[in-house]
Amino acid sequence: MRLKNTFYVIGGGGAFLVFAVPLLWALFRSVQPNDVIVAAPDGSTFFQLTWDNFRTLIEGPGNLVRAVGNSLIVALSTAVLTALLATLAGYGFARFRFRSGPVLFALVVVSMMIPFQAILTPLYLELNVLRLTDSLLGLVLFYTTVNLPFGVFVMRNSFSSVPVELEDSAHVDGCGTFRMLGSVLRPLITPGAATVALYAFLAAWTEFLGALTFLTKDELYTLPVALVNVQAGAYGEVNFGSLVAGAVIAMIPCVVLYVGLQRFYVSGLASGAVKG
């Protein structure tokens, strides 16, 4: 038992260092001047710290504050819409029996394996016809479409883990379907819904290629696209200080959300893994 505990401690400590060291190194580099970052290590300047990188991003021409606002709007809207649609679709697949149900759910599972780059052009053409390109709404619909198969898979398995007798008792007491979803089943499916919302938020927050394809106006750029524009300094020289400071800003919401919802995230993924 002691050897087993020692193994867990060493493994856990090693895993923590693998993830924590790059984050701490990025935080440290983000408060160093650009010329110190690109220069050879020098003890006399290595610990020279400044907030100029963050000040440049906030007050500079790249307008990173607006990009952060756009990313928050897109990511939060995608998370809410994906969780809502996945909850309704998952309930339908778990509780209603219809002839093509297994085939449709198999198609949903298969669609999880298709890279989003394969559907980027068809979706762009469809949204362009609907005049939803160059708009945050179109980007939200695109991200929702990409993340919905995983959400339906998780929520279908979450509802399958809830006993049907519980819903039958609620129906006998006069509870309607939507009231039962909101009052009786909500505490039981919260881990699954939180997992879907967190997964969709992180995917939308960090996504670059879709945003670059759908958006052409500077005022609509999300954070990943805006960072590409602010990383280049005079004469095309890469400003590593601004780049690493922007990366730190980008990872803050991800870390905060993951820490806050990680207990739901783990239980939701476990539910999706063991329930068929």
Side-chain angles (χ1 to χ4, degrees):
M1 180 62 74
R2 177 174 298 179
L3 180 62
K4 188 176 180 180
N5 291 338
T6 303
F7 175 77
Y8 283 139
V9 170
I10 295 175
F16 172 79
L17 290 177
V18 167
F19 288 101
V21 169
L23 294 178
L24 296 176
W25 186 248
L27 287 172
F28 181 70
R29 285 296 198 181
S30 68
V31 291
Q32 283 185 319
N34 184 63
D35 53 348
V36 174
I37 295 176
V38 299
D42 185 349
S44 62
T45 61
F46 191 72
F47 292 98
Q48 179 182 344
L49 306 181
T50 176
W51 294 103
D52 287 347
N53 295 326
F54 292 96
R55 191 177 297 111
T56 301
L57 288 176
I58 295 174
E59 300 175 355
N63 205 337
L64 207 72
V65 176
R66 183 172 59 195
V68 170
N70 290 337
S71 283
L72 280 176
I73 293 173
V74 171
L76 289 175
S77 301
T78 300
V80 173
L81 186 60
T82 303
L84 178 62
L85 295 178
T87 299
L88 297 177
Y91 183 76
F93 278 118
R95 289 295 183 257
F96 297 105
R97 298 289 178 264
F98 46 96
R99 182 178 300 177
S100 57
V103 176
L104 289 177
F105 186 71
L107 290 176
V108 170
V109 175
V110 170
S111 66
M112 292 168 53
M113 306 172 190
I114 300 175
F116 84 93
Q117 292 87 347
I119 62 173
L120 183 60
T121 300
L123 280 176
Y124 176 83
L125 295 176
E126 290 183 14
L127 292 176
N128 191 42
V129 171
L130 297 173
R131 300 181 183 278
L132 288 175
T133 54
D134 253 338
S135 74
L136 297 183
L137 175 60
L139 199 59
V140 170
L141 294 178
F142 168 68
Y143 289 150
T144 302
T145 303
V146 171
N147 293 299
L148 199 53
F150 174 78
V152 173
F153 175 75
V154 171
M155 293 311 300
R156 184 258 190 184
N157 292 335
S158 294
F159 281 112
S160 296
S161 65
V162 178
V164 179
E165 292 76 11
L166 185 64
E167 298 179 39
D168 293 338
S169 300
H171 280 305
V172 170
D173 292 337
C175 191
T177 301
F178 287 101
R179 183 182 174 188
M180 181 176 58
L181 279 172
S183 302
V184 180
L185 298 181
R186 179 178 52 79
L188 303 175
I189 63 171
T190 294
T195 300
V196 173
L198 181 58
Y199 180 85
F201 180 91
L202 295 180
W205 179 263
T206 58
E207 203 282 329
F208 171 75
L209 181 59
L212 185 65
T213 303
F214 281 86
L215 304 176
T216 59
K217 298 179 180 177
D218 292 350
E219 62 269 22
L220 295 177
Y221 280 165
T222 55
L223 185 57
V225 181
L227 282 178
V228 174
N229 292 335
V230 301
Q231 73 172 1
Y235 308 110
E237 180 186 3
V238 176
N239 190 330
F240 289 99
S242 297
L243 189 61
V244 71
V248 169
I249 294 175
M251 74 180 182
I252 290 175
C254 302
V255 174
V256 171
L257 270 180
Y258 186 77
V259 170
L261 299 177
Q262 60 91 18
R263 61 191 178 97
F264 296 121
Y265 192 67
V266 172
S267 59
L269 287 180
S271 172
V274 302
K275 301 296 183 182

